[in-house]
Amino acid sequence: EEGELAGAIQTFTDRTESANKTKALESAYGELRRLQGRLLQRTRQQALGQLAGGAAHALNNFLNVLRLRITLLQREYKPEHLDALDKTVQQIGELVARLQEFNVQRTEERPVDVKVDQTVRESLELARGELEQREHPVYVELDLHDPGAVRADAAFFRELVVNLLLAARDRMEEGGHLKVTTREESPSWLTLRIQDQGPSYASEELSHLFDPLRRDPGAPQLSLYLAVARAQVQRWGGELTAENVSSGSGAAFVVRLPRVRAQSPREPTPPPESVTRPPVSAPRRFQQTRRVLVVDDDLDNARMMAEVLGEEGYEVQVAHDPTVALGMWDRRRYDAALLDAVMPEMSGWELARELREKSPQALLAIVTGMDVRGQNRANLALVDAVFRKPIDVGALDDFLAQTDGGEDEEDTSSDEEAPASPGPDSQH
């Protein structure tokens, strides 16, 4: 009997110790997940904050020089003041180019076919601790419909989902539920939607949510991160947007990406020289006065572009909204369009696709402050040129002054203009 009692005691002791160890392991695993999610978000945000701070300091110095030079120019016109202004603008452009080069180096990708639903589940496991282990926890409801795979860098895609989950969480101070939905939008596209129960965005806030220079005292680095995230998604040929829920309060981040077509074996990526512009039925030939449509949601940029081109002899009209631009294009014949790449309702690439279908012979150019290296090749094939801001007016005039849509178009690129078909290792 004493042996049986000793055995029972030992068994109870072993089970108690095993249960305690299991509980400790579960607690450690939960803490590890929480720390992983926090590290994934904070490491990027801290790096962005430091980058933004350094860039802001340098830009403020340049802007101070510009303001002082303009003050002197207002008091007394001297050619050297204009030369100094032009030099400062060039220095600002060089700073932006260095920042974009840093972005290229930081985002060396290894694109593979990434299963979206699997990545969502992995991301949720990483973020669950940060979501649920709070005074007001946030729980996630999954509504996954197996939309397939996308061509992306697996680690960056997982990081993107984690950070969008945590950004949505931060909108719900009292806790609540997030709903993550994946769907096949069409045979070519899928969507990932992360919907929160926070307050709806004001229209002005929604339009500037992805503005990297927006000042938000509550989350000063959020818009900068969202701008970087949008650029990341655009590198994969997709789009990241935010929208209010149509019924009731709440908002959602929506990631739209091209689906990987089911095929075996995978079709090889065509070399860059095989990317061609859309065929035209005849060479482009225009009158001496060219009708140009400028589409840019930034009012000052659009007005200045129209004024400069007007001085060059072009007949220019301006649209601050892609939908308005499409209506204007339908009502009147334009010979060329200059399209801002990033606009709230529709990107310049999407607008270019619409305009190309309507007018195959029109000259189309993207005008952007973004780095277009690595941009989706299908998008680049839609346009005849890409111009970087600050724009080289001489190169733009040479582009618009073309009278023949033949091989001469290949010679319109300059230091300020990215070619329409960059190499495979380029980065947007």
Side-chain angles (χ1 to χ4, degrees):
E1 292 179 357
E2 291 181 358
E4 291 178 357
L5 179 60
I9 292 174
Q10 184 62 46
T11 300
F12 178 77
T13 301
D14 291 345
R15 290 183 177 178
T16 301
E17 183 178 357
S18 177
N20 289 337
K21 288 182 177 179
T22 300
K23 185 176 181 180
L25 285 174
E26 289 177 348
S27 176
Y29 178 61
E31 180 67 12
L32 177 61
R33 290 189 309 183
R34 185 178 67 84
L35 290 175
Q36 284 177 320
R38 179 179 296 177
L39 180 64
L40 199 56
Q41 182 188 41
R42 293 187 178 178
T43 299
R44 169 61 63 85
Q45 289 194 346
Q46 287 173 356
L48 288 174
Q50 293 170 358
L51 178 64
H57 176 75
L59 285 172
N60 278 332
N61 286 336
F62 287 137
L63 292 174
N64 186 58
V65 172
L66 284 175
R67 173 166 288 180
L68 294 175
R69 286 290 182 182
I70 290 172
T71 300
L72 292 174
L73 190 60
Q74 289 172 334
R75 293 176 180 174
E76 181 182 7
Y77 171 76
K78 290 183 178 179
E80 54 264 32
H81 291 328
L82 290 178
D83 293 338
L85 286 175
D86 185 61
K87 180 179 179 180
T88 304
V89 170
Q90 291 178 6
Q91 290 173 327
I92 293 175
E94 291 170 359
L95 171 62
V96 172
R98 289 198 298 272
L99 292 173
Q100 291 173 331
E101 186 63 31
F102 168 81
N103 186 53
V104 171
Q105 296 171 359
R106 182 189 58 79
T107 55
E108 292 294 338
E109 298 187 20
R110 295 181 179 179
V112 295
D113 292 353
V114 180
K115 293 183 178 179
V116 173
D117 283 3
Q118 177 181 331
T119 302
V120 168
R121 293 189 178 96
E122 292 172 354
S123 303
L124 179 56
E125 286 303 306
L126 288 172
R128 193 185 298 277
E130 277 289 283
L131 294 169
E132 298 180 0
Q133 296 179 12
R134 311 175 74 209
E135 180 181 357
H136 301 291
V138 172
Y139 300 99
V140 177
E141 173 190 347
L142 296 180
D143 183 22
L144 309 181
H145 295 266
D146 191 21
V150 297
R151 190 73 176 171
D153 182 282
F156 288 171
F157 191 27
R158 188 162 48 244
E159 178 184 344
L160 171 75
V161 177
V162 167
N163 282 283
L164 290 180
L165 287 170
L166 297 180
R169 174 209 64 182
D170 291 342
R171 290 179 29 80
M172 298 188 294
E173 296 181 356
E174 300 301 319
H177 288 81
L178 292 174
K179 184 175 182 179
V180 180
T181 305
T182 61
R183 293 188 183 278
E184 177 184 333
E185 182 180 315
S186 71
S188 301
W189 294 90
L190 60 79
T191 56
L192 163 64
R193 180 184 178 89
I194 300 176
Q195 181 175 319
D196 62 57
Q197 295 178 326
S200 299
Y201 290 108
S203 57
E204 182 178 355
E205 183 182 14
L206 193 61
S207 64
H208 295 289
L209 189 60
F210 296 90
D211 181 356
L213 301 181
R214 172 174 172 257
R215 296 180 61 86
D216 186 345
Q221 296 158 11
L222 175 61
S223 291
L224 179 59
Y225 167 71
L226 290 177
V228 173
R230 169 178 274 186
Q232 180 76 61
V233 174
Q234 289 174 338
R235 277 193 290 271
W236 299 330
E239 185 61 70
L240 169 61
T241 59
E243 62 187 28
N244 287 323
V245 176
S246 56
S247 58
S249 62
F253 293 113
V254 182
V255 180
R256 183 173 178 265
L257 286 166
R259 298 176 67 232
V260 173
R261 291 178 296 173
Q263 56 189 12
S264 182
R266 180 175 174 82
E267 291 180 0
T269 302
E273 55 268 23
S274 68
V275 179
T276 58
R277 295 186 177 89
V280 294
S281 56
R284 299 188 183 99
R285 298 194 180 277
F286 302 103
Q287 302 298 324
Q288 183 176 3
T289 301
R290 186 81 61 81
R291 294 194 182 102
V292 180
L293 180 62
V294 175
V295 188
D296 196 324
D297 62 324
D298 186 296
L299 302 182
D300 290 336
N301 266 292
R303 289 168 182 166
M304 289 304 299
M305 182 78 72
E307 184 174 340
V308 169
L309 291 177
E311 292 291 329
E312 296 293 329
Y314 298 100
E315 181 181 342
V316 186
Q317 287 192 316
V318 171
H320 304 303
D321 177 276
T323 304
V324 174
L326 287 171
M328 294 172 64
W329 195 271
D330 287 337
R331 291 191 298 271
R332 187 177 185 185
R333 175 187 173 274
Y334 292 91
D335 304 312
L338 306 177
L339 314 174
D340 184 32
V342 180
M343 294 180 282
E345 298 84 3
M346 178 189 297
S347 72
W349 305 102
E350 292 173 312
L351 180 57
R353 182 176 294 107
E354 297 277 349
L355 297 181
R356 183 61 74 199
E357 291 179 357
K358 295 175 180 291
S359 305
Q361 293 180 322
L363 282 176
L364 302 181
I366 290 288
V367 180
T368 179
M370 305 284 289
D371 189 341
V372 299
R373 290 174 292 178
Q375 175 61 245
N376 182 270
R377 292 176 179 178
N379 285 342
L380 288 168
L382 292 169
V383 299
D384 300 286
V386 178
F387 291 90
R388 295 274 297 280
K389 298 177 182 177
I391 196 166
D392 183 330
V393 177
L396 179 61
D397 186 35
D398 289 342
F399 169 73
L400 293 175
Q402 297 177 71
T403 58
D404 191 339
E407 296 180 356
D408 291 343
E409 289 179 12
E410 296 292 333
D411 299 326
T412 61
S413 61
S414 71
D415 292 339
E416 298 295 328
E417 177 187 341
S421 301
D425 57 349
S426 299
Q427 195 74 24
H428 177 261

